[in-house]
Amino acid sequence: MINTGKYLSRRTILRGVGAAIALPMLDAMTPAFAGTTAPKSPTRLAFTYIPNGVTINEWKPKGVGKDFEFTRILKPLEAHREHLMVLSNLEHHNANALGDGGGDHARAGACFLTGVHPKKTAGSDIKAGISVDQLAAKHFASTTKVSSLELGCEDSRTVGGCDSGYSCAYTNSISWRGPQTPMPPETNPRIVFERLFGDDDFGASPEARARRANQRKSILDLVNSRTQRLVQDLGPSDRRKLDEYLTGVRELEQRIALAEKDQTSFKPDIEKPSGVPVAFADYIKLMFDLQVLAFQADVTRVTTFLFGREASVRTYNEIGVSDPHHPLSHHRNIPEAIEKITQINVFHAGLYAYFLDRLKAIPEGDGTLLDHSMLVYGGAICDGNSHSHDNLPLLVSGKGNGRLHPGRHIVYENKTPMTNLYLTLLDNMNVPVDSLGDSTGRLPLLTEI
């Protein structure tokens, strides 16, 4: 770093009419005065949900501790061994029927981040509990522009019944601000992009967003003069970092614009939302890239992302699986059906590896974005055929700013509450919470070497 004697605030924003772009961590954000402590990189928390269960014997690794073998489903993630923990035998007891009969998919979605057994209703009197992501979001609400991002890849209504007398709000949302307030995921990348990089005072309405889109080629054009003035005061390293970051913003915006021009429909009877790529892999990667940029600029520190809602009937023609996902998960132990489910599981893991690749490639402070993150990947159904909610598929990636020590397969006692993991993650972000759902304490071993 070239010390110019100037200190740039971590909260510096490039502003223009209709745009407000936060900056990534730069060397110039380290105080220039000797003996002054450099700002610590923030810890990010992200949850990625996979629906309808997995082929568990193709998921659970062989071996315990550091000497474990990656199974078929997890093989796409093997390059990230040193940043990844596989946790076995965690459960969501409150996703079980407990006298309420059918509705395992709805209970799985509602319980995943809350640990609460949802009220069985298809009416407006829904009730679950506050979710772990929203506890963190509330804690950092005054620190970041966006307290949390809730993302998904399937539109769904949030009213009416969707699963054996349970409200669609339960299957469509894993994030809950409060017991009666689900946070439906945003599925349109353009809207997410505008939320992250648009000016809150300008683009509040769809009409205003459309008017602004017609008046410019790129959101970066609106902050161009401010960018040029800033660059003059930066050293070579920071200029390169800023250029790479803004190039990423522009490329992401261009990908969204291309998707908006592509009018191909998913199916003849379903209109494709604006800004959504047709290929599922492209869609997932676009949503991951939005999270990466949001973390890089510290626009938010908390995200949730649904690959699909519970009971999803998405087909995966791009990998040769044309059967709808949910009916296929009821495989009845038919080998051909199990093989197709496994192929979907492997495909999902490969897409998640892209997220880890992107975070690992971005340097920040004394490490990378991946080093400064805690990322949870999994679901609240183990086997889709039996609808079991114990021994759940679960990964934790990242080093949590040095508080996590990954590279291991940890096997806990049977029926250990998953909510114990969430309390531990909140502790690592210095978010004070005594209990969550059915938690019984903190989860041991995560911070051990």
Side-chain angles (χ1 to χ4, degrees), residues 193-422:
F193 184 86
E194 295 286 350
R195 185 180 176 197
L196 294 175
F197 301 111
D199 191 333
D200 295 337
D201 296 331
F202 183 83
S205 69
E207 294 78 11
R209 288 196 299 267
R211 188 163 57 248
R212 184 171 71 222
N214 290 331
Q215 293 172 348
R216 62 172 170 80
K217 293 182 179 180
S218 168
I219 202 166
L220 297 182
D221 296 336
L222 301 174
V223 297
N224 183 60
S225 61
R226 179 71 178 92
T227 303
Q228 295 304 315
R229 290 196 301 271
L230 175 65
V231 166
Q232 294 175 5
D233 294 331
L234 297 179
S237 176
D238 279 347
R239 290 181 184 180
R240 184 182 68 255
K241 290 179 184 178
L242 183 60
D243 179 69
E244 291 173 350
Y245 168 69
L246 295 179
T247 297
V249 173
R250 186 179 292 276
E251 289 178 349
L252 187 57
E253 187 178 31
Q254 289 172 341
R255 284 161 58 195
I256 294 172
L258 286 173
E260 289 172 334
K261 292 178 181 179
D262 183 356
Q263 296 304 309
T264 306
S265 296
F266 291 108
K267 296 179 181 178
D269 58 340
I270 300 178
E271 182 180 354
K272 180 175 71 68
S274 175
V276 175
V278 174
F280 183 68
D282 292 340
Y283 192 2
I284 289 285
K285 290 177 180 178
L286 189 58
M287 295 305 241
F288 274 141
D289 283 337
L290 284 164
Q291 294 177 70
V292 170
L293 282 177
F295 286 159
Q296 188 178 5
D298 201 25
V299 176
T300 191
R301 297 178 186 175
V302 182
T303 65
T304 57
F305 182 28
L306 281 77
F307 269 26
R309 63 181 180 272
E310 274 299 338
S312 168
V313 292
R314 179 182 295 279
T315 59
Y316 292 85
N317 294 307
E318 57 199 290
I319 61 170
V321 179
S322 58
D323 306 76
H325 190 185
H326 176 219
L328 194 62
S329 70
H330 292 270
H331 50 72
R332 293 173 294 167
N333 294 317
I334 299 173
E336 293 81 4
I338 294 174
E339 171 60 24
K340 290 179 180 179
I341 281 292
T342 305
Q343 289 177 21
I344 294 174
N345 300 156
V346 172
F347 183 52
H348 286 170
L351 293 173
Y352 191 64
Y354 172 83
F355 186 37
L356 303 188
D357 288 341
R358 292 281 290 110
L359 292 168
K360 188 177 181 180
I362 298 176
E364 181 188 65
D366 59 355
T368 68
L369 278 181
L370 183 55
D371 292 323
H372 302 148
S373 299
M374 299 187 296
L375 315 169
V376 176
Y377 174 88
I381 290 180
C382 175
D383 172 59
N385 192 54
S386 63
H387 286 161
S388 53
H389 304 288
D390 56 357
N391 192 23
L392 295 171
L394 197 77
L395 306 177
V396 176
S397 303
K399 296 185 177 179
N401 259 320
R403 295 193 176 189
L404 299 180
H405 295 283
R408 296 173 292 152
H409 172 212
I410 304 176
V411 179
Y412 291 97
E413 293 184 7
N414 287 331
K415 301 188 180 301
T416 297
M418 189 183 290
T419 44
N420 288 2
L421 165 66
Y422 298 156

